[in-house]
Amino acid sequence: MNTIQYFITAVTLSFLATSCANDLNTLPEGDISGEQLNNDANSPEKILGGIYLDLRSNGAGGTTVHSDFGIMGIKAGADLMSNDVIQSTNQHLGMFYNYEATNASNIASEIVWTTFYARIFVINKLLDGLDKNANAKNRAIAGQLLALRAYSYFYLVRFYAHDYNGHQSEPGLPLVLTAANPSQGLPRSTVAEVYSQIKKDIEESVTLLDTYARPSRAQIDQRTAKAIASEVFLETRDYIKAAQYAQESKQGIALMTEEDYTNTGFSNINNPEVIWGFHNTISTMSIGNYYASFFSMFDNTNEGYAGAAQIRKLIDKRLYEAIPATDYRKKVFNGSQNAAYTFNGKTKNYPPYVSWKFKDPTLFEGDYIYIRASSLYYIQAEALARQGRETEARQVLFDITSKRDQAYTLSTKSGSELINEIVLQKRIELWGEGYAWFDMKRLNNPLERVYTGTNHTFGRFNLTPDKFRFQIPNKEINNNPQIKQNE
């Protein structure tokens, strides 16, 4: 098939069949159709298990490089493009930190594109033949597939197009909604059209998943779909829906304790805040190289690229200094001097501003966390503030910040100052979790790494937000005559 050949052929159902996992079933051998979903009671979980597993595996983006490990690799890369996360030396994910990733010839552009479009093709193939109204199981399968498609397009459009506000009529993405594509390929739909489809998919997903009780946090349920929806509607400035979905998604979830936050809570899917993630095991880690993993890249205490090879991940000096001494979140970062730190029975010396946030006591088998309830507090608070409901916004911000900092008092700020406080607290809370760069783009905040006393390294430069857009990978441009490149 020639249509948008690159992402369709990058990962096929038969490739997914090679995966294996303990806690998720995987695809059976051979091609699976939507018709078989309707007739084989065991197929749905196997197929979805393959998709979920592939989204956390080395090679998800169609390459063999160690920076290619699915959702967590893309989240990590995005945060390295922000003001807040620093990489000490130019290796592996360094292509994001120094913005080489935005170039059409760079493998990072290829990884992001293929990770999501390859999954979209599989999702479409299943949806094409699935009777979602046949029974409760089919409804749940369709709901998860639609949520995964919305999530995939949401990431893609934020990488390969400008932000939503003021750019709705500009080129977005090829909007592929069926596996039966025309042979000549598809042109780029507008940003508005892409977001319209994302919103349609995620809201239908919320409806379809109304009675679904997932077997583990590795699957998307209605709570997860609402969390995704809240971020989508914040991006598109529908603040009423953003606040509503954030509130409904976080309702009833306890915030993690100081022990969770400062010890191993970020490598444990049983962390009470986890809404969606993946439980890694020896079996799942055997799919791809151990070193091609999030904790290899971001755990400075471990024996991977960050720890042993000393490709350190650091916090921006300004952000570190903005964290009050009474806030326990400051404990997961080193200060301005070299310091010894003990974890998992090992004491090592660390440079200034190094991160100790992501700690995995195993050999890179720590669980992956895609969405935490904490993120929803900031989405809800910002959405309420932008509606003029500032009293409610301040209370939501207090509800989480006072748990992290006992000295924090209810904010008295209003207008843009209140928004800035919410965004700052979000940057502190979600450092390294894949939010900062997308918020910079959404809020039209520039990259500013050149300042007096900066601790930025080989990516020391400033950029305006119009530079926060990836070029479409050359392989896609060469194989799809209908698509036009970003300048």
Side-chain angles (χ1 to χ4, degrees), residues 41-341:
N42 295 318
S43 289
E45 288 78 10
K46 291 179 180 179
I47 294 170
L48 271 175
I51 295 172
Y52 285 125
L53 178 61
D54 217 48
L55 282 169
R56 54 80 43 229
S57 296
N58 177 224
T63 79
T64 59
V65 301
H66 284 186
S67 298
D68 179 359
F69 51 94
I71 290 173
M72 292 299 285
I74 291 169
K75 280 177 167 284
D79 253 11
L80 280 164
M81 299 181 76
S82 74
N83 285 317
D84 298 342
V85 184
I86 299 169
Q87 183 161 303
S88 61
T89 56
N90 191 6
Q91 299 287 336
H92 299 293
L93 292 171
M95 57 193 170
F96 288 93
Y97 180 64
N98 66 7
Y99 275 71
E100 291 178 1
T102 62
N103 297 326
S105 59
N106 190 275
I107 200 166
S109 181
E110 180 180 331
I111 289 169
V112 175
W113 187 269
T114 303
T115 294
F116 293 114
Y117 265 122
R119 256 43 66 181
I120 288 169
F121 175 63
V122 178
I123 289 165
N124 287 343
K125 185 175 180 64
L126 300 178
L127 286 172
D128 281 350
L130 177 66
D131 181 1
K132 63 188 176 186
N133 295 314
N135 50 56
K137 176 177 281 188
N138 279 19
R139 282 176 59 85
I141 295 299
Q144 291 174 78
L145 292 170
L146 287 167
L148 284 166
R149 188 167 72 181
Y151 187 79
S152 297
Y153 273 124
F154 186 45
Y155 266 85
L156 286 166
V157 74
R158 289 183 295 169
F159 272 103
Y160 297 98
H162 288 308
D163 66 291
Y164 179 84
N165 185 45
H167 303 107
Q168 294 94 322
S169 62
E170 294 181 7
L173 301 164
L175 201 52
V176 188
L177 302 175
T178 175
N181 297 309
S183 60
Q184 72 271 20
L186 294 176
R188 297 171 71 176
S189 297
T190 66
V191 168
E193 289 168 338
V194 174
Y195 272 103
S196 177
Q197 186 63 46
I198 292 169
K199 289 186 283 188
K200 179 178 182 294
D201 280 353
I202 199 61
E203 292 206 288
E204 185 177 359
S205 170
V206 168
T207 300
L208 290 170
L209 294 171
D210 59 345
T211 61
Y212 174 56
R214 61 184 175 181
S216 78
R217 295 178 183 179
Q219 290 82 23
I220 291 175
D221 64 355
Q222 188 184 61
R223 186 188 294 276
T224 310
K226 288 181 176 180
I228 296 168
S230 71
E231 195 170 0
V232 169
F233 284 106
L234 185 69
E235 175 72 33
T236 56
R237 301 194 169 200
D238 186 337
Y239 299 125
I240 293 176
K241 282 191 174 182
Q244 172 194 332
Y245 280 125
Q247 168 60 22
E248 291 176 0
S249 181
K250 71 181 179 63
Q251 184 68 32
I253 296 184
L255 290 170
M256 62 200 298
T257 64
E258 179 177 352
E259 173 64 18
D260 288 329
Y261 201 102
T262 58
N263 197 356
T264 59
F266 291 100
S267 61
N268 187 355
I269 200 170
N270 293 318
N271 171 340
E273 282 190 31
V274 175
I275 288 178
W276 182 35
F278 194 94
H279 176 48
N280 281 315
T281 64
I282 292 175
S283 177
T284 62
M285 289 306 296
S286 69
I287 303 161
N289 194 294
Y290 270 69
Y291 292 95
S293 65
F294 178 75
F295 290 102
S296 171
M297 299 287 182
F298 264 67
D299 181 359
N300 291 306
T301 72
N302 214 318
E303 302 306 320
Y305 287 122
Q310 298 188 6
I311 307 172
R312 307 287 197 193
K313 303 303 181 291
L314 318 171
I315 185 173
D316 173 77
K317 176 184 176 182
R318 296 162 301 185
L319 184 60
Y320 175 81
E321 292 175 346
I323 308 173
T326 52
D327 190 328
Y328 67 65
R329 293 174 297 187
K330 199 161 192 167
K331 294 180 180 180
V332 300
F333 302 107
N334 190 19
S336 61
Q337 304 297 319
N338 292 337
Y341 186 81

Side-chain angles (χ1 to χ4, degrees), residues 429-444:
E429 175 73 27
L430 300 173
W431 184 93
E433 298 182 55
Y435 292 86
W437 183 67
F438 293 122
D439 276 345
M440 286 171 61
K441 191 169 182 174
R442 176 175 64 86
L443 299 169
N444 199 35

